[in-house]
Amino acid sequence: MPMRMSRREFLGATGLATVAIVSAPTLAACTSPGMGGAPGGPDPTFAPDVELALKATAAETSILPGTATRVWTYQGTVVNGDPGSLQVVSGSYLGPILRLRRGQKVRITFSNDLPESQQTSIIHWHGLQVPAAMDGHPSTAILPGQSFVYEFEVTDRAGTYWFHPHPHGYTARQVNAGLAGLLIVSDDESDAVALPTGDYDVPLVLQDRIFDDDNQFMYAPNMMTAMMGFLGDHILVNGRPNDTWSLATRAYRLRILNGSNARIYKLAWSDGSPLVVVGTDGGLLDAPVERDYVMIAPGERLELWADFSGRAVGDAVRLISQAFPGAENVGGAAGGMMGGMGGNMMGGNTDIPALGAEQDLLTLHIDRQEAEPLQRPATLLPIVRHALAEAVNVDQPRTIAITQQHMAWKLNGRAFEMNAVADDEKASADALEIWDIVNEVNPGEMMDPLGMAHPFHIHGVQFQVVERTLRDDYAEFAPGYASVSAGFVDGGWKDTVLVMPGETVRLAMRYPNHLGRFVYHCHNLEHADGGMMRNYEIVA
Ligand code: C2O
Ligand code: CU
């Protein structure tokens, strides 16, 4: 047996074509001891400024020509308060865009109306810093027919956040089926920055899917997909395939979310003009940065200043994902491009672009002249860098090792346990801490001795990326790393960060005063469902 195997070789060697290894979740009651707060029911002392209802339910939507696609979607209503708090994305399975203001108190009643009796679900507000009981911890997942009341104050910076299901073992499937939505926070400070607004402030959610012959989503992970992550052959933008937009000769603010289960994109304009990044996961940068390409991994957000004012009516430009090797080190760094070709072999579908293959994402047609009232701002919003010397663990950063053992991805050698918190997974409220996320080599593992890229996400905090280091004792890492490393935008607030094979990413974060258990995990959703997740607990 070769030391490194491609996805296809693996299937051939084991004959495991359609074994689902996604573990069955532990069903939990809708209240969970030790989580604090008032899980599951409204608090009579909480006075919401806005009250919303979100229902996870089955629906049909037209995506490809012909038969409509059965999807799972969030249907939302404004129960009380500003009707603009909720904006439907018409013609898409994506949930409504929640538009909230910093300082607002929100009550959101989530109801699980999914059509399969074992599909527990719960919503996580990805990027928001809310109390532990309101964070959508997998132990708070509810059964179909039940509901859960969220109550929290929006305290985060203005920015592009999102929400999605978080039941353990079912997240990947539920997101693939359509459950996800954007959550856009605004505040006075960010309103004062002269960026495009209204029709010129545009969400752009990137996802990939596989369709069967009857236009239905195919999600039946074989062992390979469960271990490496789902890759689709159709790119969907805001839920639509082969998307083309008609734009004016103006600047636009593009709010990009990578809502894919596992696919990483290397964003670039097809004509080689630089991307201008104005924001990351936790809101605006201190100043725009220009990049030839930008990496965006599952869970991450990027905001672009996309300026078409210098273009002629009739021009077209494509948003593409450029090729990058080495994110999946099957068959060696150079073979990584080929290695994924056989991945997701389902129903004989062998033409799924590999992780890191070049892809077209979106075509923009400049079809009308409009005067541009805005100028690209020289500065955006101040970002105060953490003073690392003040970190409580400055001499001994918390280390999270990403490894693979017996074909399962682990964090510090451990898999997820619903209610377990190890002694080294406790953290103090209000403390500033340093974390080192170390993407290890996996000597002796049949698959991936040289690891793969993992998008690492921590609930309950926004962090800063302090530095990245690539180990230099494996020459195989260098070419892959060189193909992506100029595309990291690390100067802003983050909640999800791509960690390449052989890389250590140092993070700094100050925990809020939200006592309780939060999860940290890989945002490759098949990895998270497979157990690449742990609890940490903020203690007084
Ligand atoms: Cu967006 Cu725990 O995830
Ligand atoms: Cu991972």
Side-chain angles (χ1 to χ4, degrees):
M1 224 175 239
M3 182 183 166
R4 293 178 199 138
M5 308 180 81
S6 69
R7 289 177 180 233
R8 179 183 294 157
E9 285 163 348
F10 174 83
L11 289 177
T14 61
L16 290 168
T18 54
V19 182
I21 60 158
V22 175
S23 55
T26 309
L27 294 189
C30 65
T31 58
S32 156
M35 295 296 289
D43 174 355
T45 66
F46 183 86
D49 301 303
V50 57
E51 274 189 78
L52 309 174
L54 285 174
K55 180 167 78 175
T57 192
E60 287 194 349
T61 183
S62 183
I63 301 175
L64 299 177
T67 314
T69 305
R70 291 183 295 277
V71 297
W72 290 351
T73 187
Y74 289 116
Q75 288 174 354
T77 44
V78 179
V79 178
N80 243 313
D82 179 3
S85 311
L86 204 150
Q87 179 193 345
V88 170
V89 185
S90 59
S92 175
Y93 55 80
L94 287 173
I97 300 173
L98 309 191
R99 294 188 178 271
L100 302 174
R101 295 285 295 177
R102 190 178 196 171
Q104 247 176 359
K105 288 188 168 149
V106 294
R107 174 180 289 154
I108 304 173
T109 302
F110 165 61
S111 44
N112 179 352
D113 186 42
L114 294 177
E116 294 174 14
S117 60
Q118 83 283 16
Q119 288 290 327
T120 64
S121 199
I122 195 69
I123 297 177
H124 170 54
W125 319 99
H126 181 126
L128 293 191
Q129 301 173 83
V130 300
M134 300 297 149
D135 192 54
H137 189 279
S139 65
T140 60
I142 55 170
L143 286 161
Q146 295 183 318
S147 58
F148 184 101
V149 179
Y150 294 89
E151 291 170 332
F152 56 83
E153 180 177 336
V154 179
T155 60
D156 287 278
R157 288 176 101 227
T160 305
Y161 303 91
W162 65 302
F163 61 98
H164 62 77
H166 221 298
H168 186 51
Y170 290 151
T171 297
R173 168 152 182 228
Q174 290 184 11
V175 172
N176 187 278
L179 291 169
L182 285 170
L183 192 167
I184 294 177
V185 175
S186 58
D187 63 12
D188 293 347
E189 180 188 53
S190 71
D191 288 355
V193 181
L195 289 171
T197 57
D199 290 346
Y200 306 96
D201 177 349
V202 186
L204 199 168
V205 180
L206 291 170
Q207 296 177 308
D208 57 339
R209 293 290 186 273
I210 300 173
F211 292 87
D212 70 11
D213 294 342
D214 193 34
N215 288 353
Q216 303 307 309
F217 289 153
M218 278 182 76
Y219 187 78
N222 56 43
M223 192 159 180
M224 192 74 248
T225 303
M227 189 163 64
M228 304 303 277
F230 171 90
L231 299 174
D233 56 352
H234 283 69
I235 298 291
L236 304 184
V237 172
N238 295 337
R240 288 181 286 270
N242 310 314
D243 217 11
T244 55
W245 293 359
S246 293
L247 301 180
T249 54
R250 286 274 307 256
Y252 287 76
R253 177 181 189 168
L254 301 182
R255 298 177 184 260
I256 307 177
L257 161 68
N258 183 347
S260 308
N261 282 26
R263 190 175 286 285
I264 301 165
Y265 304 94
K266 178 179 175 179
L267 298 180
W269 294 122
S270 55
D271 66 356
S273 52
L275 296 165
V276 180
V277 181
V278 295
T280 54
D281 302 343
L284 293 178
L285 299 172
D286 56 356
V289 301
E290 283 193 8
R291 293 295 162 85
D292 289 338
Y293 65 88
V294 185
M295 301 306 297
I296 186 166
E300 288 188 303
R301 288 85 67 210
L302 276 172
E303 296 194 28
L304 301 183
W305 165 274
D307 190 355
F308 308 108
S309 60
R311 298 198 181 251
V313 169
D315 272 6
V317 62
R318 284 170 298 125
L319 185 65
I320 60 171
S321 183
Q322 292 180 338
F324 56 100
E328 202 179 82
N329 282 315
V330 283
M337 297 292 298
M338 293 304 295
M341 296 297 281
N344 295 296
M345 278 215 321
M346 298 189 294
N349 194 340
T350 54
D351 52 3
I352 293 158
L355 184 61
E358 179 167 340
Q359 290 183 287
D360 271 348
L361 306 177
L362 174 67
T363 304
L364 306 176
H365 291 285
I366 312 304
D367 70 352
R368 60 191 193 278
Q369 192 75 38
E370 278 184 30
E372 174 58 81
L374 296 174
Q375 274 189 1
R376 176 171 138 185
T379 60
L380 299 163
L381 289 177
I383 289 178
V384 179
R385 298 298 297 183
H386 287 310
L388 300 182
E390 288 168 19
V392 295
N393 62 349
V394 61
D395 297 323
Q396 212 181 357
R398 187 183 287 271
T399 300
I400 311 292
I402 296 173
T403 58
Q404 192 187 69
Q405 292 166 4
H406 308 302
M407 313 213 343
W409 298 104
K410 298 277 173 67
L411 297 174
N412 283 340
R414 303 170 181 131
F416 183 59
E417 297 167 81
M418 188 66 84
N419 296 303
V421 181
D423 283 345
D424 60 11
E425 291 174 315
K426 302 239 161 86
S428 298
D430 298 320
L432 177 67
E433 266 204 23
I434 300 172
W435 291 34
D436 281 343
I437 318 304
V438 187
N439 196 339
E440 300 261 13
V441 293
N442 300 291
E445 279 294 320
M446 179 173 68
M447 288 302 301
D448 261 13
L450 289 175
M452 67 180 290
H454 300 275
F456 189 83
H457 173 48
I458 310 176
H459 285 214
V461 287
Q462 286 284 326
F463 53 73
Q464 294 178 346
V465 177
V466 177
E467 63 178 2
R468 295 171 175 269
T469 28
L470 182 69
R471 59 191 295 165
D472 54 13
D473 53 345
Y474 285 77
E476 292 96 320
F477 289 135
Y481 198 68
S483 76
V484 301
S485 58
F488 297 129
V489 180
D490 288 338
W493 290 100
K494 299 279 295 164
D495 52 56
T496 308
V497 67
L498 183 61
V499 188
M500 289 295 288
E503 189 182 33
T504 295
V505 181
R506 174 163 291 187
L507 310 175
M509 69 202 77
R510 189 179 293 284
Y511 305 109
N513 190 10
H514 288 150
L515 306 187
R517 260 182 276 138
F518 295 88
V519 291
Y520 59 100
H521 62 87
C522 181
H523 220 288
N524 177 315
L525 295 180
E526 283 72 26
H527 291 188
D529 276 348
M532 196 178 180
M533 173 159 71
R534 288 290 300 176
N535 287 307
Y536 76 100
E537 184 171 1
I538 300 181
V539 297

